[in-house]
Amino acid sequence: TFLSCKHADKSAGTHVALGWTPSYGTAGFRANSAWLPSTVFRCGGLMALRAMQTGKATGIVITASHNPEQDNGVKLIDPNGGMMDMEWEKYANDLAKAKDSQGMSTCIRKLFKEEGVLLGNHGKACVYIARDTRPSGEELVKAAVAGVTAFSVQVCRLGILTTPQAHFIVQSANMGRSTSEKTYFEQLTSGANGLIEDRSTRTEMEPLLVDCANGVGALKLKELMEGLAGISVRLCNVGHGALNHLVGADYVQKERVIPLGMSEEDAQGRCASIDGDADRLVYFTRAANGKLELFDGDKIATLAAIFIKDLIAELPPVLQRESSVGVVQTAYANGASTHFMKESLSLDVALTPTGVKHLHATAEQYDIGIYFEANGHGTVLFSSNFISKMKQLGTSPARKILHLYSIINQTVGDALSGILMVEIILMLKGWSLRDWSAVYEDLPSRQLKVKVEDRTRILTSCAETRCISPPGLQEEIDKIVAQVERGRAFVRPSGTEDVVRIYAEASDQKSADWLALKIAHATHHLAGGVGPPPSCCS
């Protein structure tokens, strides 16, 4: 059994690392790799239970995404290939925080009772386990395997994969498709080559230089490109340096600087960065004025929306009217992108709370749902009903949509899939990065954070755009915003630390900085600020 497993009386079982309290994040847990054996062991058991309950395959990826190399983590995959069901996050937290075997037993008994998990025949229950390239990965895989097998559930080791590949494979397993990595590559390249072959003009683009963050993406992107014709990619930061150190999508997007290992001359061309587990993507180039021009998730979503709107316009009028296309954003999306989607493309734009799980769930409500966070994580979802109609239609426009559908990972944001999508759209439209940039200009923005005594005192509504507690804070925000041209701002509590995050944007950078600072002071005064309030926007 789980509790009597030979691993359960070692660090991989019942003892949580001293000084660390596990807390479930967007998709799992992450921390210093030395602290994780117990948590990963328990997550192995949890995903075995999820597989037992559903009679299907689930998944685990040992990765800490864009965190430093000394960290690691665990991401949990549900049978549909998406992130673990939000209703099960409470079990993950309770099990990870249990102090001893008795606490673990209490958590497991509660889960069995509430979820109706039965011992015995588990159908096709299986847990697929993959990892990224971190040195600590293999030992943590062993801890995960021990947790799964303690419930007598089958394990399938996938070896080193990107996180999106693991999600794709879990979905494939439960749809009766091949679970080989080769199938993933073949599906993406088939769609890409199909669109390239259908192009009416041949636009030659300079090679794209991809910063691979010294992670798993370098291995997989190289293999993906071997099956493509017409797309030229060069790779840098392929594993000779430290994972995510001054490289990768998260670093480039937040710091607005070129990654280590890329020359200034290179940066003047077409460049992109992915993160350590290859689920985030941003493009960038050094502009003529010397600044780094970033094409973040907002820009990628806009490019996808433009292309999809063009494809829909080629369908029969009745299908154009019947097909719902929507863009899903959070309050962090730049206001200029939202305005463009609504006013220039006439698309429905839905707003959700921060977090990929919220964006993904809302995007599923459309025939075509487009979502990308500013950090470059996102995808485009197609409903099964819409895809069935395209297959029945069989026209050239329908085939283009089906090719695009094949390119785009339907389970989770995928940097490799995203590169193919962006490259092919730019190729088919004959666009340069300058053309893409000219679609709209971002409003200047500023983000700050304020330390507070208790972040739970700050409550928000309307997808985190309005503050309902503490009393009076939203009224102060409204008064301050009203003084700034094209001003917009909101505050929201951090999910992991006692700070309040502040976002502000305006018609110019000076106004955005002023707006953020004034709201930071109001937040510090009304929400129990700790220490001095922010004094500048650097």
Side-chain angles (χ1 to χ4, degrees):
T1 68
F2 186 65
L3 297 177
S4 63
C5 169
K6 64 180 181 180
H7 287 263
D9 59 356
K10 299 180 181 179
S11 62
T14 61
H15 302 292
V16 178
L18 293 175
W20 179 56
T21 301
S23 179
Y24 194 92
T26 299
F29 302 93
R30 66 182 68 170
N32 185 288
S33 60
W35 301 349
L36 283 169
S38 168
T39 302
V40 173
F41 171 78
R42 298 172 191 210
C43 286
L46 181 72
M47 297 318 287
L49 292 171
R50 182 66 170 154
M52 289 163 62
Q53 185 225 21
T54 59
K56 296 181 178 180
T58 60
I60 293 173
V61 186
I62 305 299
T63 180
S65 190
H66 56 271
N67 278 35
E69 187 171 287
Q70 65 268 26
D71 289 351
N72 216 321
V74 55
K75 292 186 176 182
L76 308 180
I77 307 172
D78 230 34
N80 64 1
M83 296 176 181
M84 187 178 69
D85 190 311
M86 284 187 275
E87 291 297 316
W88 276 60
E89 291 180 11
K90 60 186 178 184
Y91 301 128
N93 261 325
D94 290 347
L95 193 56
K97 292 177 180 178
K99 294 182 179 180
D100 50 32
S101 59
Q102 184 176 352
M104 291 167 63
S105 176
T106 300
C107 294
I108 293 169
R109 290 178 188 277
K110 178 183 177 184
L111 189 156
F112 265 77
K113 181 179 179 181
E114 293 182 352
E115 298 298 331
V117 179
L118 300 175
L119 295 173
N121 184 16
H122 306 145
K124 297 182 180 180
C126 175
V127 181
Y128 287 81
I129 301 177
R131 69 177 180 94
D132 68 11
T133 55
R134 295 167 196 268
S136 58
E138 187 54 39
E139 285 304 309
L140 291 176
V141 166
K142 292 177 182 177
V145 169
V148 174
T149 55
F151 283 105
S152 301
V153 170
Q154 182 182 354
V155 171
C156 182
R157 296 196 192 201
L158 298 173
I160 294 176
L161 293 178
T162 71
T163 293
Q165 284 182 304
H167 282 262
F168 179 93
I169 286 172
V170 170
Q171 183 192 58
S172 295
N174 291 314
M175 295 180 69
R177 302 189 309 230
S178 168
T179 56
S180 72
E181 185 182 7
K182 181 181 177 182
T183 300
Y184 168 87
F185 289 127
E186 287 177 347
Q187 178 170 316
L188 268 61
T189 55
S190 172
N193 289 332
L195 279 171
I196 291 170
E197 291 167 4
D198 277 352
R199 59 181 169 165
S200 56
T201 59
R202 291 192 172 273
T203 303
E204 297 299 328
M205 300 194 300
E206 65 174 292
L208 177 71
L209 179 60
V210 181
D211 156 34
C212 298
N214 292 315
V216 61
L219 303 173
K220 306 307 179 182
L221 186 55
K222 180 181 179 182
E223 190 169 350
L224 175 65
M225 290 301 156
E226 290 173 355
L228 288 172
I231 296 178
S232 179
V233 169
R234 295 189 295 128
L235 309 181
C236 71
N237 297 323
V238 296
H240 303 302
L243 178 67
N244 294 325
H245 178 62
L246 304 182
V247 295
D250 185 70
Y251 174 72
V252 171
Q253 191 254 338
K254 287 182 177 176
E255 302 300 328
R256 299 294 203 273
V257 295
I258 66 172
L260 195 69
M262 187 177 289
S263 71
E264 279 293 339
E265 182 180 357
D266 284 334
Q268 293 174 19
R270 295 176 353 100
C271 305
S273 279
I274 63 179
D275 70 335
D277 67 337
D279 66 356
R280 293 187 186 186
L281 168 70
V282 296
Y283 272 62
F284 62 93
T285 189
R286 181 73 78 192
N289 62 7
K291 293 184 178 180
L292 191 77
E293 183 165 13
L294 184 72
F295 299 82
D296 62 6
D298 290 343
K299 290 280 190 178
I300 295 172
T302 303
L303 184 68
I306 291 170
F307 187 63
I308 288 167
K309 191 77 186 286
D310 290 344
L311 292 179
I312 293 295
E314 297 181 32
L315 297 177
V318 64
L319 281 177
Q320 292 183 41
R321 291 191 299 270
E322 291 177 352
S323 303
S324 62
V325 181
V327 178
V328 188
Q329 297 182 325
T330 71
Y332 283 106
N334 193 277
S337 73
T338 307
H339 183 269
F340 179 82
M341 299 286 196
K342 288 182 176 179
E343 303 303 324
S344 298
L345 297 183
S346 300
L347 290 176
D348 183 51
V349 178
L351 205 61
T352 74
T354 305
V356 173
K357 63 191 78 175
H358 302 296
L359 291 155
H360 194 96
T362 302
E364 288 179 319
Q365 298 172 16
Y366 296 95
D367 286 315
I368 304 177
I370 304 163
Y371 77 86
F372 282 85
E373 291 186 300
N375 62 25
H377 187 287
T379 189
V380 181
L381 303 181
F382 296 80
S383 73
S384 57
N385 183 52
F386 179 78
I387 292 302
S388 294
K389 289 179 180 179
M390 294 302 100
K391 290 178 179 177
Q392 292 171 8
L393 189 60
T395 61
S396 176
R399 284 196 300 274
K400 290 178 184 178
I401 290 173
L402 291 173
H403 288 321
L404 183 65
Y405 169 69
S406 294
I407 290 171
I408 301 173
N409 194 328
Q410 295 296 289
T411 62
V412 73
D414 185 338
L416 275 60
S417 165
I419 286 172
L420 291 190
M421 180 186 76
V422 171
E423 288 299 284
I424 286 172
I425 293 175
L426 293 177
M427 180 189 298
L428 295 181
K429 295 188 74 65
W431 279 11
S432 65
L433 291 188
R434 182 176 296 180
D435 296 321
W436 185 9
S437 174
V439 170
Y440 71 83
E441 184 177 355
D442 278 331
L443 287 169
S445 63
R446 176 65 65 189
Q447 295 187 45
L448 293 176
K449 60 182 181 180
V450 176
K451 291 184 179 180
V452 293
E453 293 177 355
D454 180 9
R455 71 181 186 274
T456 63
R457 290 178 55 195
I458 292 84
L459 302 176
T460 63
S461 64
C462 302
E464 301 176 324
T465 61
R466 305 290 293 178
C467 181
I468 58 177
S469 177
L473 180 54
Q474 186 60 54
E475 288 76 7
E476 282 299 309
I477 293 172
D478 290 340
K479 290 177 185 178
I480 297 168
V481 168
Q483 301 175 53
V484 175
E485 182 182 355
R486 298 189 72 180
R488 183 174 73 90
F490 65 90
V491 301
R492 58 178 290 270
S494 166
T496 57
E497 54 184 328
D498 281 326
V499 300
V500 178
R501 302 192 185 279
I502 293 160
Y503 177 91
E505 64 183 31
S507 58
D508 60 85
Q509 191 63 58
K510 184 177 179 181
S511 296
D513 291 347
W514 178 87
L515 183 57
L517 197 57
K518 291 288 285 186
I519 291 175
H521 279 252
T523 302
H524 188 276
H525 175 65
L526 295 171
V530 173
S535 57
C536 64
C537 288
S538 59

